[in-house]
Amino acid sequence: MRLRNKPWAQDMIDDHPGIVVPDPENWKGKWKELFGNENPIHIEVGTGKGQFITEMSKLHPDINFIGIERQKSIVVSSIDKIKESGQENVRMMNVNAMELNQFFAENEVHRVYLNFSDPWPKARHEKRRLTYETFLQSYEAVLIPNGEVHLKTDNQGLFEYSLHSFSKYGMILNNVSLDLHNSDIEGNVMTEYEEKFSAKGNRIYRCEAVYRSK
Ligand code: SAM
């Protein structure tokens, strides 16, 4: 994602504490209190500009969504979308997903979405890929037993790597599609990257990976 310097980003984040949670570590184990209900929590890691999470929150009012985006200049793009939607079941966190277990307790998250994650194609950057083993461990640490990671990307290299990484970790793969937009998988909500790359004719790869019981 191309970054524009937005010196006002922190001020905008600070002005919207009801959307970008200011002290997410204080809600560890207590997210149900923040949302005021017992609904399952789904997180999106690397939310980008927030189209997916906002649309998902409208389609699924019985799920609480939390978007995790480490770049301030990108988080701000999600604020207006969430504000306009008027949805109460969606929040953002401006943090690095590497530290996920500082923000969520065991069994607190029901599903993780990874959409068009940065591919980091160089072998020496493998550890930065959001499907690298250490990330799979952090997701597992906060997910319910048999929790799921749903991934989609147009990057064949990242997709193949991720299938391998999920399998090596002992996860079960479901609903794998090598061409999501021409598949019978229903209810797809497009992300900003998905719109851009599918308009260029790129194929979208998608899978669900399920943790085995702890
Ligand atoms: N999911 C969006 C979409 O499909 O339009 C954005 C895709 S963009 C290529 C990847 C995003 O993930 C970037 O905004 C980046 O800042 C964010 N990101 C990458 N690694 C992250 C991490 N460890 N923690 C939080 N966000 C991360």
Side-chain angles (χ1 to χ4, degrees):
M1 176 131 352
R2 195 152 58 94
L3 286 181
R4 286 198 188 88
N5 185 27
K6 296 179 182 168
W8 42 267
Q10 185 63 55
D11 287 344
M12 185 167 176
I13 290 170
D14 293 344
D15 286 345
H16 294 88
I19 294 178
V20 187
V21 181
D23 48 358
E25 59 286 347
N26 293 343
W27 292 99
K28 178 175 177 173
K30 296 187 283 194
W31 287 96
K32 285 179 178 169
E33 290 174 31
L34 181 139
F35 286 105
N37 60 47
E38 298 281 316
N39 292 342
I41 292 173
H42 291 186
I43 66 176
E44 185 191 12
V45 175
T47 303
K49 295 182 178 175
Q51 174 169 297
F52 175 82
I53 204 138
T54 308
E55 291 305 311
M56 288 294 277
S57 72
K58 291 186 207 166
L59 279 175
H60 304 283
D62 49 349
I63 306 282
N64 296 322
F65 290 91
I66 303 175
I68 298 173
E69 173 53 59
R70 66 177 172 187
Q71 300 287 355
K72 288 186 197 314
S73 54
I74 300 175
V75 168
V76 291
S77 301
S78 65
I79 293 178
D80 285 337
K81 288 191 190 84
I82 294 176
K83 205 152 82 171
E84 273 166 32
S85 77
Q87 290 300 118
E88 298 283 339
N89 60 328
V90 55
R91 297 289 191 285
M92 290 296 301
M93 281 167 53
N94 177 216
V95 300
N96 191 325
M98 270 182 189
E99 292 139 17
L100 216 52
N101 52 12
Q102 287 183 25
F103 308 109
F104 296 101
E106 245 180 85
N107 300 329
E108 202 168 18
V109 176
H110 281 238
R111 184 177 295 172
V112 174
Y113 288 101
L114 302 176
N115 293 321
F116 297 81
S117 307
D118 300 307
W120 295 111
K122 291 185 180 149
R124 70 172 191 273
H125 292 146
E126 181 190 4
K127 290 182 181 172
R128 300 184 190 180
R129 297 176 197 152
L130 293 182
T131 48
Y132 182 65
E133 186 184 5
T134 50
F135 279 104
L136 300 186
Q137 283 164 351
S138 0
Y139 309 147
E140 186 178 28
V142 301
L143 276 165
I144 54 163
N146 306 119
E148 298 181 6
V149 178
H150 290 204
L151 173 142
K152 55 183 174 171
T153 178
D154 68 321
N155 188 291
Q156 188 182 347
L158 178 69
F159 189 65
E160 287 171 358
Y161 171 83
S162 302
L163 292 181
H164 182 68
S165 186
F166 290 141
S167 304
K168 201 165 119 201
Y169 200 81
M171 298 171 80
I172 297 161
L173 295 170
N174 286 332
N175 297 319
V176 178
S177 173
L178 302 182
D179 191 358
L180 174 62
H181 293 182
N182 290 304
S183 74
D184 51 12
I185 293 172
E186 290 176 0
N188 183 47
V189 169
M190 299 249 262
T191 78
E192 283 89 350
Y193 267 61
E194 187 170 356
E195 284 184 348
K196 187 168 136 189
F197 291 119
S198 58
K200 284 186 182 170
N202 292 10
R203 223 201 266 206
I204 309 301
Y205 304 94
R206 189 255 184 209
C207 74
E208 298 168 9
V210 187
Y211 287 94
R212 291 179 198 258
S213 294
K214 292 174 195 170

